[in-house]
Amino acid sequence: MILILIKKSQFEGAFFVWKYAGKNIAGYSDPIILRKVFEAALKVKNDPRLFERDSVLFNKNSNTLTYLDILLSAFAVDKKLIILDFGGSLGSTYYLYKPFLLHLKNFKWCIVEQKSFVEIGNKHFSDKHLFFYEDIYKCIKENSPNLIFLASSIQYIQQPFKILDIINKSKAKYLILDRTPFSNLSKDVITKQNVPAHIYKASYLMWIFSEKLMLTRLLKNWKIIYKKNSISEQFFTKSIPILRFNFHDFVFTKK
């Protein structure tokens, strides 16, 4: 259920240059998306039985807490849990894990997002544990996070490797790549993801990363401690030739 948006989406084309692929695509800056996410996030804030992904509401259950052991391990190592959640929306993952982390003495969840989300986040959602930032440098400088969470976000920005370079230089000891698309190709490819209209009518560009290239980059600084398919089925693009890919979850620790 948590992957309903991915499952129902269609992936169109295979491109190599972001600016050419992205003509007339508003992406996550589309105000329709912000409005839908805001409405869903308010419901989650006021009802601890719920959680939200891409404006879709679900009931919590133990199967949704994939990384709880990792979060608690990070705390055990450093006696703090300070998370940088890149592209964390209005607290989607924060509200999912919050009830299980409030007993920790040094717990902060810092979301790095685009300006419109940060403004609404600070006004309606920030609390003594949850903080919003536009600037990843400022977030790292002020908080020194020990865990970085990339929850299905890094593939939707134009320069993902710039962000990964910043993360590599941070002092974080854990890195989570959640619901991230990978192919067996030797190069990274861009596709257009069309969201089902019953969720919200929108399209945005998405990187499909070469798993070989990504791991070559990351394993210079990190080692893998966990990997699985986010979803068992394989996806493909509507293009010629067809590009096949999967969504994977990875957890890394700093070498």
Side-chain angles (χ1 to χ4, degrees), residues 12-14 19 23 39 60 74 87 92 98 105 113 115 128 132 161 193 196 225 250 255:
E12 182 181 344
K19 67 178 181 179
K23 290 182 178 179
E39 291 170 354
K60 288 181 182 176
S92 300
K98 177 183 176 181
K105 289 186 178 181
E113 260 291 358
K115 183 178 180 180
K128 66 179 182 179
F132 292 85
F161 303 113
Q193 181 176 348
I225 61 170
F250 284 96
K255 288 183 175 178

Side-chain angles (χ1 to χ4, degrees), residues 194-212:
N194 298 314
V195 180
H198 71 275
I199 297 178
Y200 47 70
K201 189 176 181 180
S203 298
Y204 27 81
L205 296 185
M206 184 187 83
W207 285 100
I208 301 170
F209 298 112
S210 160
E211 184 170 350
K212 180 180 179 181

